[in-house]
């Protein structure tokens, strides 16, 4: 068995151990503008900043940030794979994800997109931008393999850390949420943003309140903000944890 195969197996197994049920996370992403609105970021205030997009998936945020005047490093556990392998994974996960969205169409909110088809077109567009950028900028460290609850970055090495469509949405346990959020706070100099705060059924995750109390007890300033973005029911809220 080659060393590469052993490493790959270990990584997949490690990801699964944090999930309460057998649901695996999908390698799925969004466009620059969708990420900006999900997290309630204000473009004018981002100039010169360095942001970590943790659990980035194949989003085009990191690829498009430089033309808007700031830098994004994208991290994801599968960012050790090559271009062809990621492309195959993404296309198969997009198909599976949109089949799930259509099966739960009652949860879709006509706001950010007029239809699921419009969202699909936008997100496949972002995927194409990501794939071309990954090929070009992986060698210079724009895309880094990293898996919560540990991050391979120095303390305070990014102004803002964002984490989208991972925590709360998938069935992770409380300890994983605590460790992951504190780890992101360690590498963020100013703030951490988490979106959304609901479970797959569109209800606010029951651990959001207790986690905010814990963060306050550790000296952080967590706040829930309403954002101008909603794809599925209840997903218009983001947690901002200021330091
Ligand atoms: C549904 S995608 C979300 C992508 C993007 N953040 C967004 O909002 O569109 C979830 C991503 O989390 C990644 N992931 C899974 N387990 C993770 C972990 N333990 N730490 C960080 N990312 C993880 C997956 O590989 C996947 O790309």
């Amino acid at each position: 068995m080659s060393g590469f195969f052993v490493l790959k197996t270990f990584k997949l197994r490690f990801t699964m151990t944090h999930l309460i049920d057998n649901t695996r996370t999908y390698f799925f992403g969004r466009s620059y503008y969708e990420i900006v609105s999900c997290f309630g970021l204000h473009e004018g205030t981002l100039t010169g900043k360095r942001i970590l997009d943790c659990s980035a998936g194949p989003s085009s945020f990191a690829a498009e940030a430089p033309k808007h005047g700031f830098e994004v490093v994208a991290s994801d556990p599968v960012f050790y794979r090559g271009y062809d392998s990621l492309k195959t994974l993404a296309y198969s996960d997009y198909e599976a994800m949109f089949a799930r969205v259509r099966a739960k169409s009652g949860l879709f909110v006509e706001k950010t997109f007029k239809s699921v088809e419009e969202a699909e077109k936008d997100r496949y567009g972002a995927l194409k931008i990501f794939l071309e950028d990954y090929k070009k900028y992986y060698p210079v460290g724009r895309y880094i393999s990293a898996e919560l609850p540990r991050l391979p970055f120095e303390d305070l090495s990014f102004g803002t850390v964002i984490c989208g469509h991972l925590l709360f949405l998938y069935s992770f346990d409380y300890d994983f949420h605590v460790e992951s959020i504190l780890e992101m706070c360690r590498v963020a100099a100013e703030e951490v943003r988490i979106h959304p705060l609901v479970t797959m059924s569109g209800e606010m995750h029951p651990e959001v309140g207790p986690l905010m109390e814990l963060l306050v007890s550790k000296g952080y300033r967590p706040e829930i903000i309403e954002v101008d973005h909603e794809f599925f029911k209840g997903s218009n809220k983001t947690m901002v944890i200021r330091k």
Side-chain angles (χ1 to χ4, degrees):
M1 190 184 287
S2 76
F4 175 72
F5 185 73
V6 172
L7 179 68
K8 198 170 149 188
T9 310
F10 167 76
K11 277 183 178 278
L12 286 174
R13 226 185 260 145
F14 185 62
T15 302
M16 295 299 287
T17 56
H18 297 292
L19 291 163
I20 294 168
D21 56 31
N22 287 330
T23 322
R24 74 172 183 86
T25 56
Y26 285 91
F27 186 58
F28 193 77
R30 289 164 174 79
S31 72
Y32 170 88
Y33 287 107
E34 216 189 330
I35 297 288
V36 166
S37 71
C38 281
F39 288 96
L41 296 170
H42 298 287
E43 282 196 278
T45 64
L46 300 175
T47 312
K49 294 226 167 177
R50 192 160 186 259
I51 296 178
L52 173 66
D53 185 359
C54 189
S55 78
S59 298
S60 62
F61 188 52
E64 298 193 72
K67 73 177 183 235
H68 294 272
F70 61 100
E71 185 198 354
V72 173
V73 171
S75 69
D76 196 288
V78 295
F79 286 170
Y80 65 97
R81 293 198 190 192
Y83 170 89
D84 290 333
S85 162
L86 274 192
K87 186 175 177 186
T88 305
L89 175 66
Y91 276 89
S92 115
D93 274 9
Y94 272 53
E95 210 174 292
M97 182 60 110
F98 278 107
R100 280 182 69 154
V101 170
R102 289 198 169 85
K104 290 189 167 191
S105 59
L107 286 179
F108 172 71
V109 177
E110 204 184 302
K111 183 174 174 180
T112 303
F113 297 106
K114 287 192 195 73
S115 63
V116 172
E117 288 67 35
E118 192 182 89
E120 198 166 13
K121 195 171 162 215
D122 193 72
R123 290 172 184 176
Y124 272 107
L127 170 60
K128 286 191 180 124
I129 295 172
F130 160 81
L131 286 169
E132 286 314 302
D133 200 67
Y134 186 82
K135 207 190 298 183
K136 209 165 156 191
Y137 289 96
Y138 179 80
V140 295
R142 182 177 289 171
Y143 297 94
I144 292 181
S145 175
E147 180 160 356
L148 288 169
R150 296 283 166 263
L151 295 172
F153 305 110
E154 300 288 327
D155 294 358
L156 315 179
S157 43
F158 297 91
T160 296
V161 177
I162 61 171
C163 181
H165 300 92
L166 179 73
L167 304 180
F168 306 127
L169 200 54
Y170 289 92
S171 304
F172 292 107
D173 62 27
Y174 181 74
D175 289 348
F176 180 79
H177 281 142
V178 171
E179 284 178 50
S180 298
I181 294 172
L182 292 180
E183 179 69 348
M184 290 191 286
C185 287
R186 179 184 70 73
V187 304
E190 292 162 23
E191 58 174 27
V192 173
R193 292 181 179 235
I194 302 165
H195 176 92
L197 306 179
V198 289
T199 63
M200 292 275 184
S201 57
E203 306 294 330
M204 176 76 83
H205 195 292
E207 286 171 8
V208 168
L211 279 163
M212 287 177 78
E213 280 171 29
L214 179 87
L215 288 165
V216 170
S217 76
K218 292 192 177 289
Y220 298 113
R221 294 178 293 127
E223 182 195 356
I224 295 178
I225 60 164
E226 202 160 300
V227 293
D228 190 26
H229 180 280
E230 195 167 11
F231 181 70
F232 53 88
K233 191 176 139 258
S235 68
N236 62 339
K237 292 187 179 60
T238 293
M239 190 190 294
V240 183
I241 306 159
R242 296 198 177 82
K243 298 188 78 176

